[in-house]
């Protein structure tokens, strides 16, 4: 908490000065997954997720600071215009997992701002490999996994993240038949 306050105290004046000097600009933000803060803390692959309560607070902040939350088409139009002097942001979600519908879309609806969704066709038609998601759930729900004959027993969120990263690195060298649940 103290580190966060100190970082804010140092960076906020710089950000405000940059706003005054740089003037208007746009930003396009992309993410894949979202989770509740309680689940986010435990997730083995939490770098792939945003805390949905953070997203809610961030949208409220942007609206309060008079940023325009725009569609991808509008963001492209504004970025191509030399005369546009507005501050704008576009949010897009890649892949569109179930949490995009259950968690993310309602937050954007509540703030009455647009959201760009890029649906991976391999998810609804069943052709996308989703083993990383299965690995996440396995690390959350099981007390051990077997990797190349070695039993891994992650019991804390940190150990689950380390196990996920280890298996993810190993998966680039192996096929999934070497991982037993």
């Amino acid at each position: 908490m103290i580190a966060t306050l100190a970082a804010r105290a140092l960076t906020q004046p710089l950000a405000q000065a940059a706003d005054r000097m740089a003037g208007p600009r746009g930003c396009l933000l992309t993410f894949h997954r979202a989770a509740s803060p309680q689940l986010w803390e435990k997730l083995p692959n939490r770098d792939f997720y945003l805390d949905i309560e953070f997203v809610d607070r961030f949208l409220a902040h942007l609206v309060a600071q008079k940023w325009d939350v725009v569609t991808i088409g509008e963001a492209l139009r504004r970025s191509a215009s030399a005369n546009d002097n507005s501050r704008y942001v576009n949010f897009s979600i890649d892949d569109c997992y179930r949490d995009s519908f259950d968690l993310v879309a309602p937050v954007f609806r509540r703030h009455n701002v647009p959201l760009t969704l890029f649906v991976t066709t391999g998810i609804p038609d069943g052709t996308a490999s989703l083993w990383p998601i299965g690995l996440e759930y396995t690390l959350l729900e099981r007390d051990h996994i077997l990797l190349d004959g070695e039993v891994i027993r992650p019991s804390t969120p940190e150990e689950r993240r380390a196990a996920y990263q280890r298996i993810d690195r190993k998966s680039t060298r192996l096929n999934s038949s070497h991982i037993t649940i």
Side-chain angles (χ1 to χ4, degrees), residues 124-138:
D125 72 15
T127 60
S129 172
L130 299 176
W131 78 265
I133 297 167
L135 177 58
E136 285 179 315
Y137 288 121
T138 299

Side-chain angles (χ1 to χ4, degrees), residues 99-172:
D99 50 85
S100 300
F101 175 77
D102 292 342
L103 298 174
V104 180
V107 169
F108 280 76
R109 269 190 225 109
R110 189 168 50 253
H111 289 279
N112 197 31
V113 295
L115 172 65
T116 303
L117 303 173
F118 291 104
V119 179
T120 301
T121 58
I123 293 175
D125 72 15
T127 60
S129 172
L130 299 176
W131 78 265
I133 297 167
L135 177 58
E136 285 179 315
Y137 288 121
T138 299
L139 288 168
L140 284 170
E141 297 171 3
R142 303 281 176 98
D143 64 348
H144 71 279
I145 57 172
L146 183 64
L147 176 63
D148 284 342
E150 177 188 353
V151 176
I152 301 172
R153 298 182 185 278
S155 59
T156 67
E158 293 78 17
E159 289 173 347
R160 287 182 182 90
R161 283 190 281 283
Y164 184 93
Q165 290 169 358
R166 178 177 170 203
I167 294 167
D168 187 48
R169 280 191 306 271
K170 195 169 197 72
S171 74
T172 61

Side-chain angles (χ1 to χ4, degrees), residues 13 18 23 25 67 85 88 103 156:
R25 63 198 163 278
W67 279 73
N85 61 0
Y88 60 94
L103 298 174
T156 67

Side-chain angles (χ1 to χ4, degrees), residues 1-160:
M1 180 70 167
I2 292 172
T4 302
L5 292 173
R8 176 182 244 174
L10 292 173
T11 59
Q12 193 165 11
L14 294 174
Q16 290 169 341
D19 279 348
R20 286 189 299 273
M21 291 184 332
R25 63 198 163 278
C27 183
L28 282 74
L29 301 173
T30 301
F31 59 100
H32 295 266
R33 308 276 322 255
S36 69
Q38 299 79 16
L39 178 58
W40 186 84
E41 285 295 327
K42 299 174 189 174
L43 285 168
N45 187 24
R46 73 179 183 187
D47 292 345
F48 200 60
Y49 291 75
L50 284 178
D51 174 332
I52 195 62
E53 288 184 11
F54 168 79
V55 172
D56 192 21
R57 290 189 311 270
F58 187 49
L59 283 172
H61 173 78
L62 289 171
V63 170
Q65 296 298 312
K66 308 289 190 230
W67 279 73
D68 296 332
V69 182
V70 299
T71 65
I72 190 74
E74 180 63 13
L76 293 171
R77 186 194 68 72
R78 289 185 185 196
S79 68
S81 172
N83 299 326
D84 191 290
N85 61 0
S86 62
R87 295 189 311 173
Y88 60 94
V89 62
N90 167 263
F91 288 87
S92 68
I93 300 177
D94 286 354
D95 308 324
C96 292
Y97 297 94
R98 184 176 184 124
D99 50 85
S100 300
F101 175 77
D102 292 342
L103 298 174
V104 180
V107 169
F108 280 76
R109 269 190 225 109
R110 189 168 50 253
H111 289 279
N112 197 31
V113 295
L115 172 65
T116 303
L117 303 173
F118 291 104
V119 179
T120 301
T121 58
I123 293 175
D125 72 15
T127 60
S129 172
L130 299 176
W131 78 265
I133 297 167
L135 177 58
E136 285 179 315
Y137 288 121
T138 299
L139 288 168
L140 284 170
E141 297 171 3
R142 303 281 176 98
D143 64 348
H144 71 279
I145 57 172
L146 183 64
L147 176 63
D148 284 342
E150 177 188 353
V151 176
I152 301 172
R153 298 182 185 278
S155 59
T156 67
E158 293 78 17
E159 289 173 347
R160 287 182 182 90

